Amino acid sequence: MCLKTGLWALAVAAFFSQLCCEDTSTHPPKPISRGIYVAIGSSVKLPCGDGMTKGTEWRVNGSMLVSGPVLHLHNTSLEDQGIYTCHSPNGGHIETLHLWMGYAPSPPVVQCWSPSYPLKAVCSWTQTPDPILPTYYIATYWYPRTEQPLVHSCRRESDQDQQCILEELELYATVPHLVNITAVNALGSATRILPILIDDIMKPDPPVNVKVTLQPGRKLHVQWAPPPSWPDPVNFTLKYKVQFQWDKRKTASIMGPYESLSMVRSGLVPGRTYHIQVSAMDFMGQGQSSEWSDPVTITLPTS
Amino acid sequence: MLLLAAMVGCVQVEDRAVTLSNERNSIERTYELTKYLDHQLKEIKDTYLLYLGPPFSDPDFSPPRPNISSLAVPSAATRVDLWRGLENGARLAQNQRAYSVLLCAVRELARSTLCPYLQSSLLHFCSGLSGLLGSISGLMNALGVATDGHAPLTTPALSPRPALNDFTRKVEGFWVLRELQSWLWRSAKDFTRLKKRLRNTVWSHTLHLECAWKKRTHPPQKKRK
């Protein structure tokens, strides 16, 4: 009985001695691994462990960088990005540090337009400078009604997309919609709030199916169709301009506006090559004209 | 006798088609007037903002809209589904109410403007607005829609203004022109929609006339067993 108890006590003591009284020289602690994000242009101090052990050294890509427990990096640049390791005087690996360089977000530069008036508007944004670090965006908008204003989420495919679609629109409003784009990354966040009047930001896509046919008497018949993204060309009429270019596109004349979907131009020069493009705009001149459609080229016969 | 009845019926249906066609012409004229006023407003607004001076003349300046009874213009703002669903009479009535208030407001703006050129432009614009209001009321009568009658000509929408250097008065003036702009944009679309709806009504009446005429002059033959 006494022997059994004694053996049991020894086993427990041995177990606990394994736990708390380990000899570190034969079983070194696992190296710490961490990542930090640093703003380009800033200075940073990186301590190894407690930052006080003498004889430690910092290495980068295996090469010795600095001897001492603290690594100072001044006026950092993108080239400072990398994997840094800290080693004990006997070469033991104490710590691995992933250093990521980048910029905190700046307030996004936001542009909005409506290619599908009155149903949708699109907002897209850029960041200057590019943050480099992974950055995600929160995009919302609201219309400040006198009753409770609803905050809508501006629809996107993913959090990293830099473009979103607004769908609950208030038309003919004197008070603007407010679009809020917030950029977030490991170094901080920044917000832009852009007021927009939906009727002011109309910009159709270019007209489609532009066809040019030669008619007797040196005339060209040009026809086109409204952009399919414009949802209601019956109630929200578009007007069109037609551009004729020649002489290697150095000379141009613009005709219109037309509310119809075709026009005829006469008095053209035989043997000349014309490049024809069409653009669309809201019939009241609100917003912006579309970009020009892809050119259609036709050469008039010489006879 | 049958032929006479058919002819009377045809004339009645034709009368209705002619009336609707006249209404479409009136709407077309009202629409053209709206576009003309929108064009005029663009020029007046730029001059007026320069007259108000900074910060009103700054490109992106937009003061908060004052929540005061003196600027009680019905808002042109609407959602597209509500706008589409408006019945013809209600659509015209909304326009009439808005321009009644706006006419008074612009008259007051003209009265208190110290620059003679600007005052003259604003008064000329008021004539156009008055014409638009008359046109809208005429259309409502033609369509059998109850009107509110003409707006009181002497009651100003803005309270008496002591001096134009009062910032609040300038904000009011800014917002009158902004509301006017929104309404002209909205009205152009309203009249386009009315035109198209009435065109469809004329078309369906014309088809009805043809069908009625054919049935009376060429009744369907009974099939022999």
Side-chain angles (χ1 to χ4, degrees):
Chain A
M1 186 68 176
C2 273
L3 185 61
K4 258 193 185 175
T5 310
L7 281 171
W8 173 245
L10 265 174
V12 168
F15 174 72
F16 276 104
S17 74
Q18 283 289 322
L19 285 183
C20 64
C21 309
E22 216 165 323
D23 180 0
T24 53
S25 61
T26 53
H27 298 284
K30 280 178 91 175
I32 300 164
S33 182
R34 58 186 173 125
I36 65 166
Y37 298 90
V38 176
I40 292 171
S42 65
S43 297
V44 65
K45 288 183 189 175
L46 303 168
C48 178
D50 59 6
M52 293 189 328
T53 310
K54 288 183 183 174
T56 51
E57 65 177 29
W58 278 101
R59 297 177 194 172
V60 63
N61 296 331
S63 310
M64 208 275 280
L65 184 65
V66 72
S67 180
V70 180
L71 172 62
H72 289 254
L73 295 174
H74 301 280
N75 195 19
T76 49
S77 69
L78 195 55
E79 284 70 38
D80 292 315
Q81 181 163 299
I83 300 173
Y84 295 75
T85 51
C86 174
H87 299 263
S88 59
N90 62 8
H93 181 192
I94 301 173
E95 184 174 338
T96 300
L97 190 68
H98 291 255
L99 196 69
W100 304 102
M101 301 303 303
Y103 295 101
S106 50
V109 176
V110 186
Q111 277 187 320
C112 299
W113 71 99
S114 180
S116 302
Y117 184 90
L119 297 184
K120 292 180 194 171
V122 180
C123 289
S124 78
W125 54 90
T126 53
Q127 286 257 277
T128 307
D130 176 18
I132 304 169
L133 299 171
T135 303
Y136 74 91
Y137 301 94
I138 304 165
T140 56
Y141 64 101
W142 73 98
Y143 178 69
R145 295 171 191 275
T146 47
E147 59 272 17
Q148 289 173 342
L150 275 177
V151 179
H152 301 280
S153 179
C154 190
R155 188 166 59 84
R156 282 179 295 157
E157 296 288 317
S158 77
D159 283 348
Q160 280 77 44
D161 272 2
Q162 293 187 239
Q163 183 167 290
C164 71
I165 296 173
L166 294 75
E167 285 170 308
E168 306 274 340
L169 302 179
E170 199 81 10
L171 313 179
Y172 317 118
T174 47
V175 179
H177 289 71
L178 296 170
V179 180
N180 179 333
I181 309 292
T182 301
V184 185
N185 69 17
L187 292 176
S189 68
T191 295
R192 173 86 64 192
I193 297 182
L194 183 71
I196 54 170
L197 285 170
I198 302 298
D199 314 291
D200 260 350
I201 63 167
M202 284 190 229
K203 183 178 176 179
D205 289 328
V208 297
N209 302 338
V210 180
K211 283 179 195 151
V212 182
T213 45
L214 187 62
Q215 288 189 335
R218 287 186 281 129
K219 290 180 192 173
L220 285 179
H221 178 238
V222 187
Q223 53 187 13
W224 56 87
S229 52
W230 196 256
D232 189 358
V234 171
N235 285 299
F236 298 92
T237 320
L238 293 170
K239 61 182 179 186
Y240 304 89
K241 287 187 192 163
V242 184
Q243 177 174 257
F244 291 80
Q245 285 181 308
W246 60 94
D247 283 343
K248 295 176 188 173
R249 306 182 77 172
K250 288 179 198 164
T251 318
S253 75
I254 298 177
M255 302 186 72
Y258 307 99
E259 282 194 23
S260 56
L261 296 175
S262 66
M263 59 85 71
V264 174
R265 178 154 184 187
S266 56
L268 297 167
V269 175
R272 183 175 277 174
T273 299
Y274 290 92
H275 309 275
I276 294 135
Q277 294 170 289
V278 188
S279 85
M281 187 173 196
D282 168 69
F283 77 111
M284 287 284 280
Q286 286 176 248
Q288 286 180 266
S289 284
S290 72
E291 303 298 325
W292 291 106
S293 60
D294 290 336
V296 174
T297 301
I298 190 163
T299 303
L300 264 65
T302 47
S303 57
Chain B
M1 194 65 187
L2 192 65
L3 192 61
L4 187 64
M7 283 173 68
V8 167
C10 277
V11 165
Q12 283 176 339
V13 176
E14 207 173 272
D15 272 350
R16 180 73 184 126
V18 166
T19 307
L20 285 168
S21 183
N22 288 341
E23 282 152 13
R24 274 193 59 234
N25 291 337
S26 291
I27 291 177
E28 178 67 35
R29 285 195 296 272
T30 312
Y31 162 74
E32 292 295 335
L33 179 53
T34 306
K35 284 208 298 186
Y36 170 71
L37 288 170
D38 176 67
H39 176 74
Q40 263 200 308
L41 180 62
K42 281 184 179 63
E43 293 176 12
I44 290 176
K45 195 174 79 168
D46 289 343
T47 311
Y48 189 76
L49 292 178
L50 280 173
Y51 166 75
L52 291 181
F56 299 93
S57 48
D58 297 340
D60 295 327
F61 180 68
S62 180
R65 190 185 193 286
N67 188 20
I68 47 179
S69 57
S70 57
L71 202 60
V73 178
S75 176
T78 181
R79 299 278 296 274
V80 66
D81 48 345
L82 295 173
W83 178 83
R84 276 212 179 102
L86 272 177
E87 182 266 323
N88 292 346
R91 195 180 293 278
L92 285 167
Q94 285 187 7
N95 274 266
Q96 187 195 48
R97 270 195 292 278
Y99 288 114
S100 299
V101 178
L102 285 166
L103 178 58
C104 289
V106 179
R107 279 196 176 124
E108 180 57 32
L109 224 62
R111 191 195 66 79
S112 59
T113 297
L114 301 175
C115 166
Y117 167 77
L118 195 50
Q119 186 179 64
S120 167
S121 301
L122 283 167
L123 286 171
H124 180 70
F125 190 84
C126 285
S127 311
L129 263 188
S130 184
L132 178 62
L133 203 46
S135 235
I136 293 169
S137 300
L139 273 171
M140 290 173 77
N141 283 331
L143 291 176
V145 179
T147 65
D148 287 343
H150 289 291
L153 300 176
T154 52
T155 310
L158 301 175
S159 41
R161 30 178 77 202
L164 200 57
N165 57 3
D166 182 353
F167 185 78
T168 312
R169 308 307 300 175
K170 288 187 180 182
V171 169
E172 281 187 41
F174 178 96
W175 276 99
V176 166
L177 294 186
R178 178 167 272 191
E179 293 285 353
L180 195 44
Q181 177 71 86
S182 281
W183 265 107
L184 288 171
W185 284 344
R186 154 101 189 246
S187 296
K189 305 293 196 305
D190 278 332
F191 299 131
T192 303
R193 185 148 177 85
L194 276 166
K195 256 196 299 185
K196 303 227 161 38
R197 287 180 96 162
L198 278 185
R199 180 194 299 152
N200 293 342
T201 311
V202 170
W203 198 221
S204 68
H205 269 82
T206 309
L207 287 174
H208 173 74
L209 168 69
E210 283 183 11
C211 191
W213 178 251
K214 277 181 183 163
K215 272 187 183 169
R216 284 174 179 137
T217 54
H218 297 87
Q221 299 286 328
K222 281 186 184 174
K223 286 186 183 173
R224 290 182 184 174
K225 285 186 185 175

